[in-house]
Amino acid sequence: SPPPSPPTSPPPSPPPLLPSMPPPPPPPEVVFVSPELAGWGSVGGLGAMVAHLAAALAARGLRVSVVLPHYASRGGGSSGAPHAAAHLFDLSVPLEPSRGDAPLSVLHGTTEGGVRVYLLQSDVYFRAPYAHRSPADALLSASLLSRGALLLLERLSASPAALLSNDWVAALAAPYARHGAWRRAARPGGGRSWPERWR
């Protein structure tokens, strides 16, 4: 009679399934608030610097946005043809009590390097780069740019890792981000606690 066949061993167990890994966090976001951006509204070196720095950060994988005025007139040596920008939404920005709120239209576009561009449009306050009729007019324009930029970020539910304000026209963005009293005074119960890393 034939010899008995050796017992067969059970097939090996499949390796345990690896636990699913959570998706990687999104890359950090950097936001520039600037009166100029080359190709979108610029009269000199500031616009070129912001454009090159924003493009370099985007090339390293960061999410980069630039907020600047959309100028009604491109006179006074402004260079670079405006790129295509679509209407995104409207904002109402509180100014000093005697002036009430200033309406802003927000336009949105993207550079070839993937930098998101947000243009704040006001034909009253943003007529042309640095075209201020008086010191008071200059301060109102600067205040509107900084306040409008912060309200835009709030509307977008954005929480950037860094907020960079370029030139004196955008210099109020940082103190407004740290102290929301201007919003609480204008809108009872308003105001936002911005990220601690901005302070």
Side-chain angles (χ1 to χ4, degrees):
S1 63
S5 57
T8 58
S9 58
S13 301
L17 295 177
L18 295 176
S20 59
M21 301 297 291
E29 181 176 9
V30 176
V31 174
F32 292 83
V33 182
S34 172
E36 299 183 42
L37 179 64
W40 299 77
S42 180
V43 295
L46 175 63
M49 182 277 293
V50 173
H52 287 301
L53 182 55
L57 292 174
R60 288 179 172 268
L62 277 70
R63 295 175 295 151
V64 184
S65 301
V66 180
V67 183
L68 75 153
H70 179 278
Y71 297 109
S73 170
R74 298 180 58 78
S78 180
S79 63
H83 291 240
H87 180 264
L88 192 59
F89 49 71
D90 295 324
L91 292 174
S92 183
V93 182
L95 295 175
E96 59 187 38
S98 63
R99 294 179 179 265
D101 289 6
L104 285 181
S105 293
V106 180
L107 309 178
H108 175 253
T110 307
T111 70
E112 293 179 357
V115 175
R116 292 171 294 180
V117 180
Y118 296 96
L119 301 152
L120 306 182
Q121 184 176 29
S122 169
D123 293 344
V124 175
Y125 294 101
F126 301 142
R127 294 178 297 277
Y130 308 104
H132 309 305
R133 294 173 292 191
S134 67
D137 184 52
L139 182 58
L140 281 173
S141 297
S143 177
L144 184 60
L145 173 59
S146 294
R147 294 180 179 188
L150 294 179
L151 290 178
L152 165 68
L153 295 177
E154 185 175 31
R155 180 76 173 267
L156 296 174
S157 299
S159 183
L163 177 69
L164 307 177
S165 56
N166 298 93
D167 206 1
W168 65 268
V169 182
L172 291 172
Y176 282 152
R178 295 181 61 185
H179 306 289
W182 65 272
R183 288 207 58 213
R184 288 192 291 272
R187 302 258 198 291
R192 167 169 178 170
S193 176
W194 293 93
E196 186 69 26
R197 59 179 172 270
W198 291 11
R199 304 184 179 185

